[in-house]
């Protein structure tokens, strides 16, 4: 594989423009001094606790990746942890989601995993993330507008995970057998889906823990800067986290992160100015945690595979499916 391309020049220029726009908007609408002043009142112990929760969510992401790939990554959890933290660091810092490219690149470098297989697995992991975020969305609706309807809706939504089993088995369909680039790509993407019910339950359980810890930490911090109802805080954090699916994404998420948070809070009756201040401070916590954990990740062993071993591993991969890893 050639050098990893972390975004195009156009992406960096657009990301830089979003960052500059955020800096100017904050100065004119709120002022950087008043915005940062509340940090002096924040308890260092609370800050440390929230950072610990955030770090634990990162660690559980590594557990999820290890569980998802099974025997392929067995016995090398420190390397998986390093990979996961560096991947999330790149995701949080690079513009236009260029950081997602780091995952398949490091999977190939550390474990000899094929780029397509790694990217396909990441797609399914991201879909599980979105699936659980939808459950949090139902929780927000229940807290803001209580109704018994949200509970069966949540149960049906969870039951929908069974579709993964069908999709995984479709990867073995004779209709997808044979040559052809598109057919081959579709087959391998479907084969990467978790098809074993126990594996689906475990991976979804890790996903639930990951996001629960993150939402607890982020909601607690946002409440310090923006004292409003919990369900509105959850909606603000949800909006900020979903900024990753926007068609534009600034450097370190700057601009897009805050815009999505304010867009989620303003319709709920929250004044945009304090919402912007809260979103910026939450983002600063995210970036500080990202940089600290990213630096610590370099202390973990990576252990890139020798070229010969990597090539042998790549040659044997097409015959391996997700069911073999469960």
């Amino acid at each position: 594989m050639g050098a990893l391309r972390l975004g195009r020049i156009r992406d960096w220029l657009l990301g830089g423009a979003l960052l500059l726009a955020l800096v100017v908007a904050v100065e004119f609408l709120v002022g950087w001094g008043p915005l940062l002043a509340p940090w002096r009142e924040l308890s260092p112990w609370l800050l440390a606790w929230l950072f610990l929760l955030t770090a634990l969510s990162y660690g559980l992401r590594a557990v999820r990746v290890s569980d998802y790939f099974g025997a392929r990554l067995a016995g090398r959890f420190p390397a998986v942890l390093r990979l996961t933290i560096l991947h999330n660091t790149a995701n949080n810092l690079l513009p236009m989601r260029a950081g997602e490219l780091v995952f398949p690149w490091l999977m190939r470098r550390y474990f000899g995993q094929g780029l397509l297989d790694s990217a396909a697995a990441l797609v399914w992991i991201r879909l599980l993330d979105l699936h659980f975020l939808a459950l949090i969305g139902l929780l927000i609706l229940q807290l803001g507008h209580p109704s018994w309807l949200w509970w069966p809706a949540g149960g049906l939504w969870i039951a929908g995970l069974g579709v993964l089993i069908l999709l995984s088995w479709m990867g073995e369909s004779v209709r997808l057998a044979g040559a052809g680039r598109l057919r081959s790509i579709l087959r391998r993407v479907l084969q990467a889906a978790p098809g074993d019910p126990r594996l689906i339950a475990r991976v979804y359980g890790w996903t639930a823990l990951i996001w629960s810890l993150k939402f607890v930490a982020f909601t607690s911090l946002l409440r310090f800067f923006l004292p409003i109802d919990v369900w509105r805080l959850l909606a603000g954090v949800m909006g900020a986290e979903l900024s990753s699916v926007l068609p534009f994404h600034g450097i370190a998420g700057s601009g897009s992160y805050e815009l999505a948070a304010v867009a989620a809070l303003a319709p709920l009756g929250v004044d945009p100015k304090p919402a912007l201040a809260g979103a910026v401070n939450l983002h600063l916590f995210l970036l500080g945690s990202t940089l600290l954990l990213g630096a610590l990740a370099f202390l973990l062993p990576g252990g890139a595979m020798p070229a010969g071993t990597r090539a042998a591993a790549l040659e044997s991969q097409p015959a391996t499916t997700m069911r073999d890893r469960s």
Side-chain angles (χ1 to χ4, degrees), residues 87 90-91 94 97-105 122 126 244:
H87 169 223
N91 248 346
L94 299 180
R97 310 310 296 173
E100 294 287 25
L101 300 175
V102 170
F103 183 82
W105 180 68
L122 181 60
R126 287 291 177 251
S244 61

Side-chain angles (χ1 to χ4, degrees), residues 14-310:
L14 182 55
L18 287 170
L19 174 59
L20 179 61
L22 174 67
V23 171
V24 174
V26 168
E27 181 60 33
F28 277 93
L29 295 176
V30 182
W32 282 99
L35 182 144
L36 297 174
W39 283 98
R40 293 194 293 265
E41 308 298 325
L42 181 61
S43 167
W45 295 108
L46 175 61
L47 186 61
W49 171 244
L50 299 182
F51 172 76
L52 180 62
L53 291 178
T54 303
L56 184 56
S57 74
Y58 273 59
L60 289 176
R61 288 176 186 268
V63 174
R64 179 174 64 174
V65 170
S66 294
D67 201 356
Y68 197 97
F69 285 91
R72 296 190 185 190
L73 309 186
R76 297 192 61 195
F77 183 75
V80 179
L81 182 59
R82 175 188 172 109
L83 177 151
T84 305
I85 295 177
L86 292 179
H87 169 223
N88 280 279
T89 299
N91 248 346
N92 290 336
L93 298 181
L94 299 180
M96 306 305 165
R97 310 310 296 173
E100 294 287 25
L101 300 175
V102 170
F103 183 82
W105 180 68
L106 288 179
M107 284 293 292
R108 180 171 184 173
R109 179 176 176 82
Y110 292 171
F111 306 107
Q113 178 78 8
L115 296 177
L116 177 58
D117 294 322
S118 298
L122 181 60
V123 167
W124 294 112
I125 289 173
R126 287 291 177 251
L127 288 175
L128 290 175
D129 285 334
L130 289 174
H131 189 280
F132 186 74
L133 286 176
L135 271 186
I136 296 181
L138 290 175
L139 173 63
I140 293 171
L141 290 172
Q142 170 62 26
L143 293 175
H145 306 282
S147 171
W148 65 268
L149 292 174
W150 306 127
W151 297 103
L156 289 173
W157 185 246
I158 294 175
L161 290 170
V163 173
L164 291 172
I165 301 174
L166 176 61
L167 292 174
S168 178
W169 283 105
M170 286 176 60
E172 305 299 323
S173 171
V174 294
R175 295 183 180 181
L176 295 178
R181 180 174 177 80
L182 290 178
R183 181 177 296 178
S184 175
I185 291 176
L186 180 58
R187 181 173 65 248
R188 292 173 69 178
V189 168
L190 290 175
Q191 288 175 345
D196 182 88
R198 294 166 299 176
L199 178 62
I200 295 173
R202 292 198 310 270
V203 173
Y204 197 72
W206 297 128
T207 302
L209 284 173
I210 289 165
W211 284 105
S212 296
L213 288 173
K214 189 170 186 179
F215 265 78
V216 167
F218 280 30
T219 301
S220 299
L221 183 69
L222 183 59
R223 188 174 190 178
F224 176 81
F225 295 101
L226 189 63
I228 56 177
D229 296 338
V230 171
W231 70 277
R232 289 186 172 89
L233 292 170
L234 287 170
V237 174
M238 173 74 79
E241 289 301 312
L242 288 178
S243 66
S244 61
V245 302
L246 293 174
F248 54 91
H249 190 71
I251 296 175
S254 300
S256 52
Y257 190 91
E258 289 78 9
L259 176 62
V262 173
L265 289 169
L268 302 180
V270 181
D271 189 330
K273 289 185 178 180
L276 175 61
V280 171
N281 282 313
L282 179 63
H283 198 186
L284 290 175
F285 172 77
L286 169 63
L287 294 179
S289 300
T290 295
L291 292 171
L292 180 55
L293 291 172
L296 292 175
F298 286 104
L299 301 177
L300 296 168
M305 295 180 68
T309 305
R310 190 184 311 150

